[in-house]
Amino acid sequence: MVVVVDKNLPQERVEKIIAELNRYGFDVHKSTGEKYIILGALGVQPGFDIRKIKMLEGVVDVFRITEPYKLASRRFKDEKTIIKVNDIEIGGDEIIIIAGPCAVENENQIMKLAEVVKNNGAKILRGGAFKPRTSPYSFQGLGEEGLKLLRQAGDSFGLSVITEIIELSHFELIEKYTDIFQVGSRNMYNYPLLKILGTSRKPVMLKRGMSATIDEWLMSAEYILSGGNPNVILCERGIRTFDTSLRNTFDISAIVSVKDKTHLPVCADPSHAIGYRDKIIPMARAAVAAGTDALMIEVHHDPDNALSDGPQALLPEQFSELMKQIKEIAKVIEKKF
């Protein structure tokens, strides 16, 4: 349930309300908004009489959340969550661009691409150091060496960095180097991994599973939020349907739909959704027009020889053109870019 508390209530009174909720067996998550303090009381107690809490001093209202996801719900927090990454805000008035190669291949490659994305207005550098590939014979990433190179490139060009975590044993290692954890579509249902990411204070970008409903996606986000990490970014990266003309079906409607259900920011990844570079720019434009808070784009200066997903990587000149087009769309929808 959600307990709405007067924001001007003295802290000791707020703590007494929290203590009372704890006494009744609820775990409490606190969120402070512009007008009220919101206490999310988590615990399965269908018969609990909410009047016991509603009568407490300073409590404005109490209501139950019917959705299975509680902390991700707009009923828990109606105001948009804005996630701060160094000097960047994701979920605010600015469209944030995340760009770079699918995988870090060597120092020359990642430094060259970091310069390209920086010069064209991106603020976050992407690059995989551990790559979950469909084939066991495909390039699996450079591991820690890739993390070091990604961090070096980001620091050299003033970019924050994001990289994928694929297993629990990599958590402490990746946390040393990255600014944002990325959870790939294959791991959206990896609940032990989501739980450990809930203990971190670094943001987590959670990609939608290939066959996941929006509610299932939000339930996975709930695992991270309930662990104490409020910094979750949802990423639409295409879903698997009966159609096989493209790599996946890019569900642009999900960008609009999920924002009705949650306060969390949303990112769109047309590169993975489409899989073909000649179709990525129009789909990226559509995602921006639909209201995505961030855009993740793969870029490579030599995609024909890329070790991972070359066909879906934009060439530097294509990326530059996309940035110009996004700037014009941003004006129309009154977003900063």
Side-chain angles (χ1 to χ4, degrees):
M1 65 183 174
V2 168
V3 181
V4 183
V5 178
D6 185 344
K7 190 175 181 181
N8 297 317
L9 196 68
Q11 182 60 31
E12 60 268 22
R13 289 299 311 161
V14 176
E15 293 301 325
K16 285 185 179 180
I17 295 171
I18 293 173
E20 194 70 4
L21 288 165
N22 291 153
R23 188 173 74 83
Y24 286 119
F26 293 101
D27 291 326
V28 180
H29 291 255
K30 178 182 173 184
S31 173
T32 302
E34 292 182 6
K35 297 181 180 179
Y36 302 106
I37 294 170
I38 306 297
L39 304 177
L42 306 183
V44 181
Q45 298 193 40
F48 182 77
D49 188 346
I50 63 174
R51 292 176 299 176
K52 294 178 180 179
I53 303 302
K54 201 167 186 176
M55 64 183 291
L56 297 176
E57 181 187 344
V59 173
V60 177
D61 201 1
V62 180
F63 55 89
R64 299 185 187 278
I65 298 179
T66 56
E67 297 91 349
Y69 46 90
K70 310 299 182 184
L71 301 177
S73 171
R74 274 205 175 272
R75 288 175 63 82
F76 170 65
K77 182 184 177 186
D78 189 50
E79 298 166 338
K80 295 190 301 182
T81 288
I82 296 176
I83 295 175
K84 295 185 178 180
V85 186
N86 298 320
D87 60 344
I88 305 162
E89 290 188 345
I90 302 173
D93 295 330
E94 182 179 4
I95 302 165
I96 300 300
I97 305 301
I98 305 164
C102 180
V104 179
E105 298 169 4
N106 54 62
E107 182 177 1
N108 178 64
Q109 174 240 24
I110 194 62
M111 293 296 282
K112 183 176 291 188
L113 291 172
E115 183 176 16
V116 167
V117 301
K118 173 68 175 182
N119 289 344
N120 283 284
K123 295 193 174 179
I124 301 174
L125 177 65
R126 63 152 294 150
F130 297 93
K131 297 300 301 178
R133 306 300 298 279
T134 301
S135 170
Y137 307 112
S138 299
F139 176 64
Q140 304 289 315
L142 297 178
E144 185 171 9
E145 180 60 24
L147 293 173
K148 289 178 179 178
L149 292 175
L150 181 67
R151 182 77 267 169
Q152 177 187 336
D155 291 345
S156 297
F157 291 95
L159 296 164
S160 296
V161 302
I162 180 171
T163 196
E164 185 172 0
I165 179 169
I166 61 173
E167 58 181 83
L168 288 168
S169 61
H170 296 160
F171 173 69
E172 291 183 0
L173 174 64
I174 293 176
E175 192 173 42
K176 287 196 308 181
Y177 294 102
T178 197
D179 295 304
I180 306 172
F181 287 101
Q182 176 183 306
V183 177
S185 59
R186 291 175 177 85
N187 273 315
M188 194 203 84
Y189 294 108
N190 187 342
Y191 301 128
L193 179 61
L194 301 181
K195 285 180 179 179
I196 197 169
L197 290 171
T199 68
S200 178
R201 288 301 172 267
K202 291 193 172 183
V204 178
M205 177 177 286
L206 178 65
K207 288 196 168 187
R208 183 182 179 186
M210 286 179 279
S211 302
T213 66
I214 288 176
D215 281 0
E216 289 170 341
W217 189 16
L218 289 173
M219 284 304 297
S220 288
E222 194 78 6
Y223 270 91
I224 302 168
L225 296 169
S226 64
N229 186 348
N231 302 307
V232 177
I233 306 157
L234 301 169
C235 183
E236 165 58 36
R237 48 80 66 207
I239 54 174
R240 182 171 292 167
T241 66
F242 58 83
D243 185 65
T244 58
S245 59
L246 297 172
R247 183 176 183 179
N248 297 288
T249 297
F250 191 26
D251 189 4
I252 295 175
S253 65
I255 297 169
V256 179
S257 179
V258 79
K259 286 196 167 202
D260 287 337
K261 293 173 173 282
T262 185
H263 52 87
L264 299 173
V266 180
C267 177
D269 178 0
S271 300
H272 276 90
I274 305 303
Y276 296 90
R277 77 171 62 90
D278 63 324
K279 297 175 178 62
I280 289 169
I281 289 179
M283 290 297 95
R285 293 195 306 253
V288 171
T292 188
D293 297 297
L295 201 60
M296 178 177 272
I297 301 291
E298 288 192 7
V299 184
H300 204 291
H301 62 289
D302 186 15
D304 290 343
N305 293 302
L307 298 180
S308 177
D309 285 341
Q312 68 191 34
L314 295 184
L315 292 161
E317 56 269 27
Q318 293 175 310
F319 180 63
S320 180
E321 178 59 29
L322 174 60
M323 295 301 99
K324 293 174 185 176
Q325 294 181 17
I326 290 175
K327 187 174 183 178
E328 295 305 310
I329 298 172
K331 292 177 185 177
V332 175
I333 61 174
E334 298 181 341
K335 282 272 197 174
K336 297 177 184 176
F337 182 70

